[in-house]
Amino acid sequence: MIHVSFSRRALAIGLLALPLSLSAALAQDVKPTIGPPGLAFAPKTGADLYVTVCQGCHMPGGKGAVGAGMYPALNNNKNLEAGAYPVHVIVNGLRGMPPFRAMLNDDQVAAVVNYVRTNFGNSYSDAVTGDDVKLARSAN
Amino acid sequence: MGSETQHESGMSRRDLLAMVGMAAGSAAMYQAMTSLGLAGESTYRGSPNLSGAPKGTSVLILGAGLAGLTAAYELRKAGYKVSILEYNERPGGRNWSIRGGDKITELGGETQTCGFAKGHYFNPGPWRIPYNHHAVIDYCRQLSVALEPFACLNHNAYFHSTNAFGGKPQRIREIDADLRGHVSDLLSKSAQQDKLDESISKEDKEVLLAALKNWGGLDNENRYTKSAAAASLRGYDRYPGGGLAGPSAPSEPMKLQDLLKSGLWRNLNNFFQFEHQNTMLQPVGGMDMIGKGFAKQLNGLIRYNAKVTEIKQDERGVTVTYVDQKAKGTPKQVKADWCVCTIPASILSQIPTTVSPKMKAAIDAVPYVTSVKVGLQFKRRFWEEDEMIYGGISSTNLPINTISYPSDNFGSKGPGVLLGAYQIVQANSFALASMSAPERIAFALENGSKIHPQYKKEFDNGVAVSWHRMPFTLGCGGMWNPSTRKEHYSNICQIDGRMVLAGEHVSYVNWWQEGAILSALDAITRLHERIVKTKA
């Protein structure tokens, strides 16, 4: 038992460590995407979406920031455990954070949520889907 | 696609507000939004009459932006004991100008030091005052803040689209004249062919033809052609000279199809909207002269560098906890009988505050809009020297949206500072907000050089401000839509126990300084009535 759990932990750390450092390095190189005028965001991948839509507030690497008010850190964030929560926040907004329901389509919301939940020290591998986003849209 | 794309650029405030409605909810809000809050004159009726203030009553004001400063100024005049807590180390809040030597630190820690030459500045927030914003203008008068014209419509500035006229910028006067000319030509034709006979009498028809000829710059046959009449509006190929230099030569109007397809006409009405009509004004020396003017009157009453961390109240009074951002150390407390809170909702929503559930829900219902502005200093004023552009605004479908030329120091030999990018609300404003400041400046230079090729050679230095990264606001303004207005607006205006809120977010004049002042005046007038009643 002990042996197994050890190796599983070692495996988990080993597996996570590589993609994490890789994706951190990649995220540094990803630049915000300038799209056509209008409300709709152009990017499709989670990394491009994060850097274009979220980074202005939540900062590179999801570090968050504090001034008179704050932007919560998204790195190592336990609130991301239930995928439905970030989906809901992005679609409907949360206090200072504007709703993105008219600016991101279902696939984009799912992609950025899946990206944030598997990067920045988060490792929630149960992916959310466009259907989860539809549900959040109808909730409000 | 080309014209659809163009439709999204050069957007007016009204268009943007409509977009906010859409961003925040369904497309059905579009119609409702366009009819919200934008019409009519300011409700300003002069300084409020706050007579009979009970002796010794104290009011604590949170925030030294224009709302807080107005509240403090009027309440102190009325005899209240006022004090202000302000997060920044300067007064004004979003009423702010950046000058050489200023340091700007955004959330995330990136710090820029402005390198502008002496006498030059950049307004990252409000930058122009409509003549119909009576409250702002009257306080400028009271505070002896000198005003000068802000050139908004400049007929010689540009409309530009990458999809039209081979990407060559067009002078605004040409777009304006040619749209009028072609429309007048078509309408004249219909009238002359008796096609309007059902809608217009014979006598009126003659007058209409005369009006169209006059307004459209038509020739003697009521046609829009390369003519002296058209040139008198759209300009000349050769302007008449002195001596032997010769007479004028008219210019050739663009073709109607080209004009329509270009979509550039969509930019025109922005300048004719109520809030953008001539004469717009600006304080001499920078918008922040207003905040500074108030602060001078309130000498010693403003505690700067104070980050509010808790707002508590009971039947007897208000206790506010704050942390001194310079000294840090243990939190301090201020007590007062009453409180006017002008902290932006984006930030107030995060501060533990004793308020009713309805008020809390209202505070939580106002997210904040993005805005990014870039100020660029060039070594010489090439827009004046090479292109005869003195102040005013060029509009483009490039993702910088706007270039605005300084309205002061015309003809001076040294450098000049212009607004090199202004993105707000739209997707690209988030993209710009996500860039580092040097990236935003490079972006403004790269794009702007497609309109002014002199950019790269003449660039000196720049600053970029992302409002979502401003530690004191987390955004440029409160974002209401028709359904949040309906559900929460009246609640956010109520006096909640011993506290009342004020600021542009507690107004229908969102994102304007006028909204902040009108909101403060309305709030303190009602608060004063309540105080007098409570004491009686």
Side-chain angles (χ1 to χ4, degrees), chain B residues 176-487:
Chain B
D176 179 47
D178 290 357
L179 182 64
R180 288 202 246 166
H182 284 302
V183 167
S184 302
D185 179 303
L186 285 173
L187 194 54
S188 297
K189 235 177 248 160
S190 293
Q192 287 165 330
Q193 294 166 2
D194 304 327
K195 288 191 177 140
L196 301 180
D197 284 2
E198 281 182 19
S199 4
I200 196 163
S201 73
K202 215 173 154 56
E203 301 80 67
D204 285 350
K205 185 164 108 181
E206 290 314 310
V207 183
L208 177 68
L209 283 170
L212 290 171
K213 180 163 183 279
N214 171 293
W215 185 70
L218 306 184
D219 64 19
N220 285 334
E221 273 75 55
N222 267 52
R223 295 283 82 80
Y224 190 58
T225 54
K226 181 174 180 175
S227 68
S232 75
L233 299 176
R234 75 183 316 283
Y236 300 84
D237 267 358
R238 190 179 62 232
Y239 195 67
L244 291 175
S248 68
S251 57
E252 178 82 42
M254 55 188 88
K255 290 202 177 66
L256 175 62
Q257 292 101 310
D258 293 343
L259 172 61
L260 292 177
K261 213 167 68 197
S262 78
L264 291 181
W265 47 269
R266 292 182 199 269
N267 296 312
L268 271 174
N269 247 5
N270 192 12
F271 294 108
F272 296 98
Q273 279 179 7
F274 191 56
E275 289 108 335
H276 296 162
Q277 290 167 4
N278 285 333
T279 304
M280 298 203 79
L281 301 167
Q282 65 179 15
V284 175
M287 190 57 85
D288 67 350
M289 292 299 165
I290 304 177
K292 286 176 173 167
F294 271 118
K296 210 161 100 191
Q297 301 289 323
L298 297 164
N299 198 11
L301 299 178
I302 309 174
R303 187 182 299 273
Y304 294 105
N305 304 304
K307 171 172 166 169
V308 171
T309 56
E310 188 174 36
I311 304 168
K312 272 186 150 164
Q313 57 165 324
D314 57 26
E315 311 78 60
R316 291 188 314 270
V318 182
T319 306
V320 172
T321 308
Y322 71 93
V323 177
D324 187 315
Q325 294 300 289
K326 280 274 151 77
K328 299 286 178 187
T330 50
K332 301 194 175 80
Q333 289 195 329
V334 197
K335 289 179 192 293
D337 299 322
W338 302 87
C339 176
V340 178
C341 177
T342 71
I343 297 174
S346 47
I347 288 168
L348 185 59
S349 64
Q350 300 177 350
I351 299 174
T353 303
T354 334
V355 283
S356 67
K358 273 188 177 170
M359 176 61 93
K360 177 60 183 154
I363 294 166
D364 287 355
V366 192
Y368 272 56
V369 168
T370 48
S371 166
V372 175
K373 280 189 181 178
V374 179
L376 303 172
Q377 176 171 299
F378 293 94
K379 289 174 224 150
R380 69 181 182 96
R381 301 165 75 98
F382 56 81
W383 53 93
E384 296 181 357
E385 293 170 6
D386 306 350
E387 295 165 273
M388 282 50 96
I389 294 173
Y390 302 94
I393 295 171
S394 289
S395 307
T396 171
N397 74 333
L398 290 166
I400 51 170
N401 263 344
T402 296
I403 297 174
S404 177
Y405 315 91
S407 284
D408 61 356
N409 293 308
F410 292 132
S412 65
K413 290 222 176 67
V417 172
L418 55 68
L419 172 67
Y422 182 19
Q423 265 285 0
I424 182 164
V425 178
Q426 301 185 57
N428 283 337
S429 64
F430 287 83
L432 252 82
S434 291
M435 293 179 187
S436 69
E439 283 171 341
R440 290 177 216 141
I441 292 166
F443 180 84
L445 280 176
E446 187 57 43
N447 281 279
S449 65
K450 292 175 188 158
I451 297 171
H452 296 288
Q454 306 95 320
Y455 255 46
K456 289 197 175 154
K457 177 153 176 272
E458 305 295 348
F459 176 65
D460 193 345
N461 68 86
V463 289
V465 169
S466 163
W467 280 95
H468 268 162
R469 287 192 178 173
M470 284 299 111
F472 60 103
T473 54
L474 307 187
C476 90
M479 191 165 155
W480 290 95
N481 66 56
S483 74
T484 55
R485 264 290 177 213
K486 196 160 160 227
E487 194 175 344

Side-chain angles (χ1 to χ4, degrees), chain B residues 109-144:
Chain B
E110 189 179 33
T111 298
Q112 308 168 64
T113 303
C114 177
F116 293 164
K118 203 168 178 320
H120 296 268
Y121 67 88
F122 163 61
N123 295 323
W127 51 311
R128 46 188 178 169
I129 303 171
Y131 67 83
N132 36 49
H133 282 187
H134 304 314
V136 178
I137 293 171
D138 192 41
Y139 279 102
C140 287
R141 207 177 278 132
Q142 291 188 43
L143 299 167
S144 302

Side-chain angles (χ1 to χ4, degrees), chain A residues 31-41 51-53 55-57 59 65-71 95-103, chain B residues 5 8 19 22-24 87 107-108 307 347 349-350 364 367-368 399 425-428 430-435 439 443 468-469 471-472 474:
Chain A
K31 297 288 180 202
T33 309
I34 296 293
L39 281 178
F41 283 101
V51 163
T52 305
V53 188
Q55 178 170 288
C57 295
M59 300 295 149
V66 180
M70 59 89 204
Y71 292 124
R95 294 186 274 273
M97 175 170 159
F100 287 98
R101 61 166 58 230
M103 305 182 84
Chain B
T5 306
E8 308 285 350
M19 263 200 172
M22 280 163 67
Y87 176 81
L107 285 169
K307 171 172 166 169
I347 288 168
S349 64
Q350 300 177 350
D364 287 355
Y368 272 56
V425 178
Q426 301 185 57
N428 283 337
F430 287 83
L432 252 82
S434 291
M435 293 179 187
E439 283 171 341
F443 180 84
H468 268 162
R469 287 192 178 173
F472 60 103
L474 307 187

Side-chain angles (χ1 to χ4, degrees), chain A residues 82-93 109-110 113-114 117 128-137:
Chain A
Y85 173 65
V87 168
H88 178 82
V89 169
I90 293 166
V91 169
N92 299 309
V109 174
V113 166
N114 290 334
R117 290 179 76 237
V128 303
T129 66
D131 284 343
D132 297 315
V133 182
K134 282 198 179 65
L135 206 67
R137 280 188 198 279

